[in-house]
């Protein structure tokens, strides 16, 4: 039995949340650009939850921007199952939800006119997008194309159609929420759309309506939604559920959608009322800082250490006493106090607890080698601001961050080049370095093997700041690096954690 509207009555409700038939009568309030699992597992999750509680009372029309095949959604009436698995507040979570948030999926290539027709609907209130970072780019093109190529041009065409249909009525503006993983995503989208309007020589009255009637929101999304699991897991889940679902996705319990906006935005996005994972605030930078420093920063500093310990995945690291202790202490004593934003200890402690739950999730395979992708850039963006702020506050070497730097250098020193690819070496095993800085590091390691640490860390062009001004830092990293290379990571990590215990 395949998941569909007609088959819902045959599905047992003991272990799956099944939508009520009244939901299918709700109006289409949201136009969503993107069919990906993140949108289905986060924004659409919140909308579905609100609809089941009678709060938002609106469904989502999804625009498929690439390719014309929507059969996967059509055959299931756009229903899909979210299997929530993981740990929340230290407690295992298992929940299966049939989401009815999506009313239909329309392929822009095959039926662009249907999307323009949606623009003229009285019910439409919201646009949501996740078109990847590449999607929010300025492409000089006409919005009269069928369809326009870029997402901003498609959005502008929708807005212009709406403006014309309602004769410039300012009450018919939309709340537009970008979820692409770039800073100031909504602001950048608004700027591109405005520039495109000028390029298309649209009238001044429309350009005024575009700015005054519509609200472009920056937002931050945070939830791991790996998508459809492997065949064995899918078969086991479908046997448990009692039906087939080609759109079935796994997701972790943790969820955050921080949206920049005031009362107007909150009134329109009423689904925020049903879940604390949706935050609507005038300033969402605190949520970005907590995520980038405590979640991403901890990942980055831990990746080299975990790899050198022979630990493959994040969840395995949480089962290693030394590694889990390092992660917990790093967040509590060095990252949390040094976040370069006004944030309380209560806030950092609470977020760190969610990070530990997420890291320990037994159902997600998150490989440290994947986290080490573009390692140098991540160290610069995520860690250097923490490091410099730590010195401003404490004026001393942060031992765990220093070890993270030493492990980064030990992991990232290219010891072999082959066909413009660079490889590291650990215990005789070769591994590829997926880092744009690998050619630079290879050059430095080849020319200055004994002074590799100083050569790299003293380079302001790499880090954007002068790390030599941080008293004792480079010397400490070099000492840890030399010990790591000569004695191995287990002993060095043990010594670091033992030293930490003596200071408590």
């Amino acid at each position: 039995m395949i998941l569909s509207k007609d088959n819902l009555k045959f599905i047992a409700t003991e272990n799956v949340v099944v939508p009520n038939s009244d939901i299918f009568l709700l109006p289409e309030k949201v136009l969503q650009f993107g069919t990906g699992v993140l949108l289905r597992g986060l924004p659409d999750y919140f909308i579905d939850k609100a609809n089941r509680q009678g709060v938002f009372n609106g469904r989502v029309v999804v625009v498929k921007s690439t390719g014309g095949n929507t059969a996967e959604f059509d055959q299931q009436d756009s229903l899909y199952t979210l299997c929530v698995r993981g740990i929340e507040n230290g407690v295992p979570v298992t929940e299966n939800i049939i989401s009815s948030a999506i009313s239909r999926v329309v392929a822009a290539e095959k039926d662009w006119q249907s999307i323009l027709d949606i623009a003229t609907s009285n019910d439409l209130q919201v646009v949501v997008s996740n078109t990847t970072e590449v999607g929010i780019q300025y492409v000089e093109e006409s919005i009269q194309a069928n369809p326009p190529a870029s997402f901003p041009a498609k959005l502008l065409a929708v807005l212009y159609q709406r403006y014309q249909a309602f004769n410039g009525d300012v009450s018919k503006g939309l709340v537009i929420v970008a979820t692409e993983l770039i800073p100031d995503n909504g602001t950048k989208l608004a700027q591109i759309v405005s520039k495109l309007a000028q390029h298309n020589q649209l009238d001044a009255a429309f350009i005024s309506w575009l700015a005054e009637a519509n609200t472009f929101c920056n937002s931050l999304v945070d939830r791991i939604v790996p998508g459809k699991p492997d065949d064995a897991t899918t078969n086991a889940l479908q046997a448990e559920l009692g039906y087939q679902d080609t759109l079935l996705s796994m997701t972790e319990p943790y969820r955050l959608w921080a949206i920049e906006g005031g009362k107007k935005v909150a009134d329109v996005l009423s689904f925020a009322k049903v879940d604390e994972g949706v935050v609507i605030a005038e300033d969402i930078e605190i949520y970005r800082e907590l995520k980038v420093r405590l979640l991403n920063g901890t990942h980055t500093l831990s990746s080299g250490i975990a790899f050198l310990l022979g630990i493959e995945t994040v969840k395995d690291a949480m089962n290693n006493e030394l590694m889990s202790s390092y992660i917990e202490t790093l967040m509590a004593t060095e990252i949390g106090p040094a976040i370069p934003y006004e944030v309380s200890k209560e806030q950092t402690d609470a977020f760190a607890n969610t990070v530990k739950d997420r890291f320990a999730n037994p159902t997600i395979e998150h490989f440290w080698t994947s986290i080490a992708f573009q390692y140098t850039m991540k160290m610069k963006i995520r860690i250097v601001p923490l490091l410099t702020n730590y010195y401003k506050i404490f004026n001393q070497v942060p031992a765990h961050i220093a070890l993270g730097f030493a492990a980064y250098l030990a992991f990232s020193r290219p010891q072999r080049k082959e066909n413009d690819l660079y490889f590291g070496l650990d215990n005789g095993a070769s591994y590829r370095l997926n880092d744009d800085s690998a050619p630079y590091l290879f050059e430095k390691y080849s020319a200055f093997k004994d002074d590799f640490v100083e050569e790299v860390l003293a380079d302001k062009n790499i880090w954007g700041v002068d790390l030599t001004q941080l008293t004792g830092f480079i010397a400490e990293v070099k000492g840890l690096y030399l010990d790591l290379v000569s004695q191995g990571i287990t002993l060095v990590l043990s010594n670091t954690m033992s030293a930490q215990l003596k200071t408590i």
Side-chain angles (χ1 to χ4, degrees):
M1 178 175 69
I2 186 107
L3 176 62
S4 68
K5 193 192 304 184
D6 290 339
N7 286 334
L8 287 177
K9 58 182 174 289
F10 302 117
I11 296 174
T13 58
E14 289 84 3
N15 66 340
V16 60
V17 177
V18 178
N20 186 292
S21 60
D22 292 344
I23 287 177
F24 298 106
L25 303 175
L26 294 176
E28 295 173 332
K29 290 186 177 182
V30 182
L31 182 61
Q32 175 177 296
F33 287 85
T35 60
V37 291
L38 177 63
L39 288 174
R40 285 188 271 140
L42 195 62
D44 298 344
Y45 165 87
F46 292 126
I47 290 168
D48 176 67
K49 183 175 181 179
N51 287 341
R52 284 188 273 111
Q53 296 183 25
V55 175
F56 180 65
N57 296 322
R59 301 183 78 202
V60 182
V61 182
V62 175
V63 178
K64 183 177 173 62
S65 293
T66 56
N69 188 359
T70 61
E72 200 172 32
F73 289 90
D74 297 340
Q75 69 180 351
Q76 296 188 183
D77 300 309
S78 296
L79 296 170
Y80 60 93
T81 312
L82 273 181
C83 298
V84 184
R85 300 290 188 274
I87 300 171
E88 191 170 33
N89 298 321
V91 179
V93 172
T94 300
E95 188 177 23
N96 306 308
I97 304 163
I98 296 176
S99 175
S100 55
I102 298 174
S103 59
R104 55 191 167 124
V105 177
V106 182
E109 288 183 9
K110 292 177 66 175
D111 198 3
W112 178 239
Q113 186 57 48
S114 287
I115 296 163
L116 293 178
D117 290 344
I118 294 164
T120 69
S121 167
N122 266 309
D123 297 315
L124 186 64
Q125 296 181 347
V126 182
V127 173
V128 175
S129 72
N130 193 305
T131 55
T132 76
E133 298 89 320
V134 179
I136 300 186
Q137 299 278 354
Y138 178 74
V139 177
E140 207 163 78
E141 60 176 319
S142 169
I143 63 168
Q144 300 303 321
N146 185 22
S150 69
F151 160 58
K154 289 184 177 75
L155 176 58
L156 177 58
V158 165
L159 292 171
Y160 190 58
Q161 183 84 358
R162 188 169 183 81
Y163 165 80
Q164 291 178 309
F166 293 106
N167 297 312
D169 184 345
V170 293
S171 70
K172 298 301 181 181
L174 303 176
V175 172
I176 300 153
V177 189
T179 70
E180 288 81 358
L181 297 177
I182 57 173
D184 301 320
N185 41 25
T187 300
K188 290 176 181 174
L189 178 59
Q191 291 168 345
I192 293 170
V193 169
S194 179
K195 187 176 179 181
L196 268 172
Q198 300 281 354
H199 170 71
N200 279 267
Q201 298 181 339
L202 302 180
D203 57 275
F206 167 73
I207 292 174
S208 295
W209 180 87
L210 180 62
E212 295 168 10
N214 300 277
T215 306
F216 287 78
C217 301
N218 297 319
S219 88
L220 172 72
V221 290
D222 188 8
R223 192 177 208 184
I224 298 172
V225 189
K228 190 173 182 178
D230 59 52
D231 289 344
T233 305
T234 298
N235 292 336
L237 285 169
Q238 291 185 148
E240 174 190 336
L241 296 168
Y243 57 84
Q244 292 182 320
D245 180 358
T246 60
L247 297 171
L248 181 149
S249 293
M250 300 282 286
T251 184
E252 66 173 338
Y254 181 84
R255 58 216 174 268
L256 173 67
W257 191 12
I259 303 166
E260 199 169 86
K263 184 179 184 303
K264 175 187 173 182
V265 172
D267 288 344
V268 173
L269 307 183
S270 59
F271 53 78
K273 299 174 184 175
V274 305
D275 197 298
E276 63 182 12
V278 186
V279 177
I280 299 174
E282 297 284 1
D283 181 6
I284 62 169
E285 190 60 28
I286 183 174
Y287 301 99
R288 188 179 309 281
E289 282 294 324
L290 287 169
K291 176 183 183 292
V292 169
R293 308 308 171 192
L294 281 166
L295 177 69
N296 303 135
T298 302
H299 265 153
T300 299
L301 283 168
S302 304
S303 56
I305 299 171
F307 178 86
L308 295 172
L309 279 171
I311 300 172
E312 289 192 350
T313 66
V314 175
K315 68 179 181 182
D316 290 339
M318 298 307 288
N319 293 322
N320 179 289
E321 186 175 350
L322 264 182
M323 196 69 224
S324 63
S325 178
Y326 171 83
I327 287 169
E328 184 169 350
T329 307
L330 171 71
M331 289 193 292
T333 66
E334 295 181 10
I335 294 181
I339 290 176
Y341 194 83
E342 189 173 332
V343 56
S344 69
K345 185 177 185 301
E346 289 74 21
Q347 288 170 314
T348 58
D349 287 350
F351 195 87
N353 285 334
T354 70
V355 170
K356 286 182 280 186
D357 281 345
R358 298 174 76 183
F359 280 15
N361 189 334
T363 66
I364 293 178
E365 297 283 345
H366 202 173
F367 290 91
W368 289 112
T369 49
S370 299
I371 294 168
F373 179 78
Q374 299 297 4
Y375 205 163
T376 305
M377 178 193 70
K378 289 176 179 177
M379 291 291 285
K380 175 184 177 179
I381 293 173
R382 299 172 177 178
I383 308 306
V384 168
L386 281 169
L387 174 62
T388 55
N389 202 47
Y390 187 93
Y391 262 86
K392 286 179 185 176
I393 298 168
F394 301 105
N395 195 31
Q396 64 183 35
V397 177
H400 298 76
I401 291 177
L403 179 56
F405 263 91
Y408 149 74
L409 290 164
F411 173 89
S412 300
R413 51 188 178 141
Q415 299 182 65
R416 182 167 64 88
K417 177 184 176 183
E418 185 177 315
N419 298 326
D420 292 326
L421 300 178
Y422 297 84
F423 298 86
L425 191 65
D426 180 53
N427 290 326
S430 180
Y431 53 91
R432 185 179 168 188
L433 297 169
N434 292 300
D435 189 337
D436 286 346
S437 294
Y440 163 86
L441 294 168
F442 181 75
E443 179 185 318
K444 289 293 184 183
Y445 190 69
S446 300
F448 305 100
K449 186 173 182 179
D450 293 338
D451 299 314
F452 177 60
V453 173
E454 296 98 318
E455 284 291 322
V456 174
L457 294 188
D459 191 336
K460 289 187 287 187
N461 293 324
I462 290 290
W463 307 109
V465 297
D466 187 356
L467 297 182
T468 65
Q469 297 301 304
L470 305 181
T471 305
F473 179 71
I474 292 179
E476 178 71 13
V477 172
K478 182 171 185 178
L480 289 166
Y481 168 86
L482 292 174
D483 288 345
L484 198 159
V485 170
S486 63
Q487 301 173 16
I489 185 63
T490 301
L491 181 60
V492 176
L493 181 57
S494 298
N495 290 341
T496 299
M497 299 315 301
S498 297
Q500 173 67 31
L501 289 173
K502 291 175 184 177
T503 64
I504 296 177

